[in-house]
Amino acid sequence: MKKAEYVTVVQKAKDQWKAAKMDNEKPIDLAIVYSRQDCTKNCAGYPYTSLILVRNQSDQPLEIDLKLRLQNKSGAVLKEIEAVPLKLSSGEITEVWTGDSYEKHDFWARASVVTDERVTDLKYQY
């Protein structure tokens, strides 16, 4: 992924989220920005990288430890993983990082998680 594409995709997700009303009953909310294979052809067996964002919907700063349950389109659990602890100010939107997050030579190629199938849904605990 190129820098411009990454910035555009993440900014579009943040803008849509900012436009949505915050649900103060739920202190945080998560969204899958994308889950895709970074290849152009012969992708069989190539892993899916997914980027996940979190938003603090409360009116106060939060320190959170997230546990994620990632699911495919049929609802089967692909992976359960803990995220890196986060400190979020009120209304802040940021990326979720895990032990799967990797920094290749290209900063813009980072992902929240890596799975064998496309992530279409997630559940979380904090």
Side-chain angles (χ1 to χ4, degrees):
M1 179 177 288
K2 302 285 186 243
K3 177 181 178 181
E5 181 184 6
Y6 179 90
V7 170
T8 300
V9 166
V10 171
Q11 192 57 51
K12 182 178 177 184
K14 287 182 176 183
D15 289 345
Q16 289 175 341
W17 224 345
K18 285 179 184 175
K21 186 178 179 198
M22 286 202 281
D23 179 359
N24 290 329
E25 297 296 314
K26 239 172 42 172
I28 64 167
D29 196 16
L30 275 74
I32 302 166
V33 177
Y34 62 76
S35 183
R36 64 179 181 204
Q37 292 175 303
D38 290 326
C39 63
T40 53
K41 58 183 176 176
N42 299 326
C43 296
Y46 206 83
Y48 284 82
T49 57
S50 303
L51 182 65
I52 300 168
L53 294 181
V54 61
R55 174 171 75 165
N56 178 354
Q57 301 191 115
S58 73
D59 55 2
Q60 56 191 333
L62 293 175
E63 291 186 32
I64 57 172
D65 293 314
L66 282 171
K67 291 182 182 177
L68 305 172
R69 176 177 288 152
L70 309 166
Q71 298 173 300
N72 65 13
K73 64 183 176 184
S74 66
V77 175
L78 300 173
K79 183 180 276 191
E80 292 182 341
I81 192 165
E82 289 187 24
V84 174
L86 290 166
K87 291 182 180 182
L88 301 169
S89 58
S90 178
E92 182 177 358
I93 300 171
T94 193
E95 294 90 347
V96 172
W97 303 121
T98 68
D100 277 6
S101 300
Y102 56 91
E103 293 187 47
K104 297 183 356 184
H105 63 282
D106 182 1
F107 175 86
W108 307 107
R110 296 180 307 159
S112 298
V113 293
V114 178
T115 55
D116 292 333
E117 295 179 49
R118 181 182 310 273
V119 175
T120 60
D121 195 16
L122 66 90
K123 307 286 187 234
Y124 61 91
Q125 286 182 285
Y126 61 95

